[in-house]
């Protein structure tokens, strides 16, 4: 794994409508969203608003519908209800189903959970996939494309391995390559499904930093599924807690991540504390076994 740290994402510079930091105000809203598989409804009447410059985290137990909701917002799963995209502050919201795929891909990207390892392509060539919505037929990469790819490679700490074969990377490295491709797409809405999965501690934290950079420095509307509630509390402006296809709590991390809400959603006991020194929430799940006391070897004698 490269030693290059994730650095802040550079301002977008291409011809997409949401790529200028000043006008990257696209936001995605869903009302009464219903999604399912055949007769099996897995998201049932969800309201969600992803606002420019804000991080919204979706949390909840396995199978509660988080990934399916994200896929519905990304136009990858048929949805009932209303999902609209507002491309600029004063623009009229447009139903996403009326948008052409290429146009939609210039506005919204999804970092999905399962990822293939492309054989025969370098890291840089995979990241270049992110520029596909801007490419003209039979034309090569433009200066803007190269700048976006370089910026995304730097942001994900991949410049040192940009020429390596993507098929030879570890799971965590490959994950960062696909995250990089999403960043290279330079959209006003970024949807991320468990982006910290498979990453070591350092890249988990640096990925959370990149997510905050997207919102704070570039006005991106971020929707992210996270399993780690500490991470969700750390990165999100708003949390949506899902259970059985519905949102059971919505608001700031402090409002949503109460012991009662977590117990209701996950059916476990937890201890939730606000750290007085750091001002951060600490969520401590309580298992069946009493915590084992730990001592230093030197204090045993
Ligand atoms: N391809 C599929 N066909 C049928 N049912 C599916 C399919 N994919 C998911 N489901 C079901 O939809 C429900 C919601 O799944 P989803 O993956 O959206 O949940 P999730 O909250 O993202 O879960 P996890 O935390 O485990 O990733 C689950 O009951 C799951 O079994």
């Amino acid at each position: 794994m490269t030693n290059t740290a994730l650095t802040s994402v550079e301002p977008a510079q291409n011809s997409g409508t949401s790529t200028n930091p000043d006008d990257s105000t696209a936001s995605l809203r869903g009302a009464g969203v219903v999604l399912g598989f055949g007769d099996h409804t897995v998201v049932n009447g969800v309201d969600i608003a992803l606002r420019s410059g804000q991080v919204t985290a979706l949390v909840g137990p396995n199978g509660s519908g988080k990934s399916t909701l994200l896929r519905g917002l990304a136009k990858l799963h048929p949805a009932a209800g209303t999902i609209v995209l507002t491309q600029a502050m004063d623009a009229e919201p447009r139903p996403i189903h009326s948008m052409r795929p290429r146009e939609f891909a210039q506005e919204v990207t999804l970092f999905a959970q399962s990822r293939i390892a492309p054989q025969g392509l370098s890291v840089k060539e995979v990241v270049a996939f992110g520029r596909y919505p801007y490419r003209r037929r039979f034309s090569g990469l433009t200066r803007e494309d190269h700048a976006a790819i370089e910026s995304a490679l730097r942001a994900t700490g991949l410049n040192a391995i940009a020429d390596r074969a993507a098929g030879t990377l570890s799971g965590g490295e490959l994950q960062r390559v696909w995250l990089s491709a999403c960043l290279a797409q330079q959209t006003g809405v970024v949807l991320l499904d468990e982006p910290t999965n498979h990453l070591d501690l350092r890249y988990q934290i640096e990925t959370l930093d990149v997510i905050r950079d997207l919102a704070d420095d570039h006005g991106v509307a971020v929707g992210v599924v996270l399993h780690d509630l500490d991470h969700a509390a750390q990165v999100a402006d708003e949390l949506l807690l899902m259970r059985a296809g519905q949102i059971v709590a919505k608001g700031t991390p402090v409002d949503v991540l109460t012991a009662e809400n977590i117990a209701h959603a996950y059916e476990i006991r937890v201890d939730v504390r606000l750290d007085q020194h750091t001002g951060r929430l600490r969520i401590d799940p309580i298992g069946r076994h009493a915590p084992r006391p730990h001592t230093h070897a030197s204090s045993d004698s």
Side-chain angles (χ1 to χ4, degrees):
M1 182 168 283
T2 172
N3 281 329
T4 315
L6 299 190
T7 56
S8 65
V9 184
E10 288 181 6
Q13 297 178 351
N14 65 24
S15 54
T17 52
S18 60
T19 55
N20 182 323
D22 295 325
D23 70 11
S24 60
T25 51
S27 70
L28 197 56
R29 289 170 193 273
V33 177
V34 177
L35 300 145
F37 296 90
D39 292 341
H40 181 36
T41 299
V42 301
V43 172
N44 198 356
V46 161
D47 296 335
I48 181 168
L50 304 182
R51 297 178 191 84
S52 177
Q54 286 204 3
V55 177
T56 302
L58 288 167
V59 296
N62 290 143
S64 55
K66 306 178 296 297
S67 297
T68 309
L69 176 58
L70 228 51
R71 287 176 57 77
L73 294 173
K75 252 168 82 107
L76 293 173
H77 194 102
T82 309
I83 305 178
V84 293
L85 180 79
T86 305
Q87 287 166 272
M89 209 65 107
D90 49 0
E92 281 296 308
R94 295 172 63 194
I96 63 169
H97 67 73
S98 71
M99 298 179 73
R100 287 198 302 274
R102 195 179 174 84
E103 182 187 16
F104 188 72
Q106 291 182 7
E107 303 291 344
V108 180
T109 188
L110 170 68
F111 173 84
Q113 261 188 58
S114 61
R115 287 297 184 185
I116 49 152
Q119 302 299 316
L121 291 179
S122 71
V123 166
K124 202 171 185 172
E125 286 167 333
V126 177
V127 174
F129 284 162
R131 301 305 298 167
Y132 184 76
Y134 305 102
R135 301 280 296 277
R136 298 235 178 101
R137 279 180 89 185
F138 309 122
S139 68
L141 292 168
T142 64
R143 213 153 41 99
E144 285 80 9
D145 292 329
H146 282 295
I149 293 163
E150 290 301 326
S151 170
L153 285 166
R154 260 197 310 280
T156 45
L158 292 170
N159 8 18
I161 58 166
D163 295 320
R164 249 182 75 182
T168 66
L169 301 181
S170 75
E173 287 169 335
L174 187 63
Q175 173 136 334
R176 280 162 43 220
V177 173
W178 285 113
L179 176 62
S180 194
C182 286
L183 299 184
Q185 210 171 319
Q186 296 190 319
T187 54
V189 178
V190 173
L191 306 171
L192 302 150
D193 197 353
E194 299 186 33
T196 53
N197 247 7
H198 308 300
L199 298 186
D200 70 29
L201 201 54
R202 169 186 174 184
Y203 282 110
Q204 287 178 32
I205 296 306
E206 292 187 356
T207 297
L208 297 181
D209 282 342
V210 166
I211 289 171
R212 270 291 8 143
D213 289 343
L214 285 171
D216 295 343
D217 300 344
H218 306 296
V220 170
V222 182
V224 56
V225 170
L226 290 167
H227 272 299
D228 187 315
L229 298 182
D230 286 317
H231 285 174
Q234 193 176 329
V235 77
D237 300 292
E238 184 177 60
L239 274 187
L240 306 182
L241 175 60
M242 290 191 72
R243 179 179 190 266
Q246 296 189 316
I247 291 173
V248 292
K250 179 189 281 199
T252 64
V254 172
D255 288 340
V256 170
L257 296 177
T258 62
E260 293 75 19
N261 284 342
I262 297 169
H264 172 62
Y266 292 88
E267 300 175 16
I268 53 158
R269 284 194 304 138
V270 286
D271 183 31
V272 180
R273 281 168 294 124
L274 196 57
D275 188 310
Q276 296 300 326
H277 295 297
T278 62
R280 281 160 61 164
L281 278 177
R282 288 280 164 220
I283 294 124
D284 201 4
I286 303 165
R288 285 183 294 104
H289 297 277
R292 289 181 304 135
H294 298 292
T295 53
H296 289 291
S298 57
S299 62
D300 288 347
S301 55

